[in-house]
């Protein structure tokens, strides 16, 4: 990846019928996008701004305004709150173009507004999420989804899998790669020279010494022991039902959960609306909001920009830390 001399953040505006365009407009109205460029449809932004009653100066990149737009036209007309599979290709083109531009160094980092996985799949394209999509584009073997709020960071061994498939996906390789990528990211981007990481067990009570499942004994514990011998500061496997109690979780720089709904409900209960989704292991920095498209709120003006602004600020901060580590 070529190094970027442009410190601007590139933002994908997400599902056109959702609140992504609204978030971009509201943030621009707060003068929060001075160092950002938004990729999306200028007509859509103009129509949504009128619907929201927001008067925001817009310009086509590289010209600068409160809302600087890298133009990409939608495939079909857009009505706030109404999904249209005809615009799925628009969303995918947006993600593909943004990832390419950031990976080539045109922008400093990538931030994404929410998309709707269902409508993309309804269009005939198999799609499981931003994380897996960017991983495939970057042609990297493993990425890690981490969500972070003010007092908790949670990374996942598996992401968007049905529960019946999770057990088979909890392999020594998956655990090892997740821990290593998380540990390296904490060093590089969060300026933590000796990260402290706790790892959840898979089963209730971390398997209760094999009485409630033996994955901890067969797979998780041996893998963590091998990583500890390599000098990593790792604790676990620990029961998830007590690990996330603040007096325990506060002892660690990150917690690694085995699957999506083991770790993320706790984090979102603690910091929803201010949490940020980060993809670790890509050749560029990518952050995102912690929520979905909120179709029922699109065009209403009744939305909270907290997670959007937090994701933008973290993208800027992580990029600065990376430059300090590698520049």
């Amino acid at each position: 990846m070529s190094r970027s001399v442009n410190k601007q953040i590139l933002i994908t505006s997400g599902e056109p019928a959702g609140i992504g365009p609204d978030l971009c407009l509201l943030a621009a109205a707060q003068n929060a996008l001075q160092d950002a460029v938004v990729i999306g449809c200028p007509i859509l932004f103009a129509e949504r701004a009128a619907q929201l009653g927001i008067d925001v100066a817009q310009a086509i990149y590289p010209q600068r305004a409160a809302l600087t737009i890298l133009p990409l036209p939608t495939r079909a007309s857009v009505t706030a709150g109404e999904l249209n599979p005809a615009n799925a290709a628009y969303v995918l083109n947006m993600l593909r173009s943004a990832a390419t531009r950031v990976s080539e160094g045109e922008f400093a980092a990538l931030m994404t507004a929410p998309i709707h996985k269902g409508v993309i799949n309804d269009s005939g394209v198999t799609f499981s999420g931003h994380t897996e999509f960017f991983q495939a584009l970057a042609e990297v073997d493993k990425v890690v989804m981490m969500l972070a709020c003010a007092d908790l960071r949670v990374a996942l061994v598996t992401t968007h899998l049905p529960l019946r498939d999770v057990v088979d996906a909890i392999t020594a390789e998956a655990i090892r790669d997740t821990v290593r990528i998380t540990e390296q990211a904490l060093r590089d981007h969060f300026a933590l020279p000796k990260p402290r990481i706790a790892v959840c067990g898979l089963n209730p009570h971390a398997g209760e010494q094999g009485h409630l499942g033996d994955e901890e004994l067969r797979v998780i514990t041996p893998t963590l022991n091998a990583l500890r011998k390599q000098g990593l500061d790792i604790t676990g496997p620990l029961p998830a039902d007590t690990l996330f109690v603040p007096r325990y979780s506060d002892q660690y720089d990150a917690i690694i959960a085995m699957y999506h709904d083991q770790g993320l409900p706790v984090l979102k209960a603690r910091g929803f609306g201010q949490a940020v989704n980060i993809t670790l292991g890509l050749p560029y920095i990518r952050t995102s909001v912690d929520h979905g498209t909120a179709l029922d709120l699109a065009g209403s003006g009744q939305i909270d920009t907290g997670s959007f602004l937090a994701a933008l600020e973290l993208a800027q901060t992580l990029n600065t830390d990376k430059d300090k580590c590698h520049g």
Side-chain angles (χ1 to χ4, degrees), residues 16-188:
I19 62 171
D22 307 48
L23 289 166
C24 296
L25 286 160
L26 290 168
Q30 299 174 48
N31 292 317
L33 302 186
Q34 296 301 316
D35 295 318
V37 173
V38 177
I39 183 170
C41 181
I43 295 174
L44 169 62
F45 287 122
E47 292 175 346
R48 193 66 58 87
Q51 186 172 354
L52 294 170
I54 295 176
D55 183 13
V56 174
Q58 300 180 24
I60 301 300
Y61 178 75
Q63 299 299 314
R64 300 295 300 159
L67 179 64
T68 302
I69 303 169
L70 186 61
L72 181 71
T74 57
R75 297 295 183 90
S77 60
V78 178
T79 299
E82 296 183 12
L83 294 171
N84 186 346
N87 277 322
Y90 159 78
V91 173
L92 293 174
N93 287 340
M94 177 194 304
L95 301 184
R96 191 175 293 108
S97 176
T100 299
R101 288 172 179 270
V102 176
S103 65
E104 291 179 349
E106 185 176 348
F107 295 92
L110 175 62
M111 178 192 149
T112 58
I115 56 175
H116 196 284
K117 302 180 188 69
V119 74
I120 296 175
N121 283 279
D122 288 344
S123 75
V125 177
T126 301
F127 184 87
S128 57
H130 277 115
T131 303
E132 298 82 358
F133 184 81
F134 291 141
Q135 177 185 356
L137 285 180
E139 298 181 338
V140 294
D141 293 333
K142 172 74 173 178
V143 295
V144 173
M145 176 188 289
M146 173 188 279
L147 265 77
C149 61
D151 58 353
L152 183 63
R153 302 183 188 98
V154 177
L156 304 177
V157 176
T158 63
T159 53
H160 300 117
L161 288 179
L163 274 178
R164 68 175 65 250
D165 296 334
V166 167
V167 174
D168 291 339
I170 303 299
T171 63
E173 180 181 18
I175 296 167
R176 182 176 62 248
D177 290 349
T178 300
V179 172
R180 285 177 173 167
I181 290 171
T182 301
E183 202 262 357
Q184 191 66 50
L186 291 171
R187 289 175 181 270
D188 288 352

Side-chain angles (χ1 to χ4, degrees), residues 163-288:
L163 274 178
R164 68 175 65 250
D165 296 334
V166 167
V167 174
D168 291 339
I170 303 299
T171 63
E173 180 181 18
I175 296 167
R176 182 176 62 248
D177 290 349
T178 300
V179 172
R180 285 177 173 167
I181 290 171
T182 301
E183 202 262 357
Q184 191 66 50
L186 291 171
R187 289 175 181 270
D188 288 352
H189 304 313
F190 290 89
L192 297 168
K194 185 66 174 176
R196 301 161 300 165
I197 298 174
V199 179
C200 296
L202 173 65
N203 297 295
H205 302 176
E208 199 75 73
Q209 296 299 312
H211 295 289
L212 295 177
D214 65 355
E215 286 79 13
E216 286 76 13
L217 296 178
R218 289 189 302 104
V219 181
I220 302 173
T221 297
T223 303
L224 298 185
N225 285 340
L227 290 166
R228 276 189 281 266
K229 289 179 180 178
Q230 297 170 16
L232 278 70
D233 187 349
I234 307 170
T235 303
L238 298 173
D241 62 345
T242 53
L243 174 56
F244 285 104
V245 175
R247 65 175 171 153
Y248 299 125
S249 64
D250 288 351
Q251 300 176 34
Y252 304 103
D253 298 307
I255 292 174
I256 293 179
M258 290 292 136
Y259 57 94
H260 188 282
D261 280 14
Q262 182 183 55
L264 297 195
V266 182
L267 183 137
K268 291 190 177 185
R270 197 182 293 189
F272 190 74
Q274 299 295 324
V276 180
N277 185 344
I278 314 152
T279 305
L280 311 179
L282 289 171
Y284 52 85
I285 289 166
R286 179 254 170 168
T287 67
S288 186

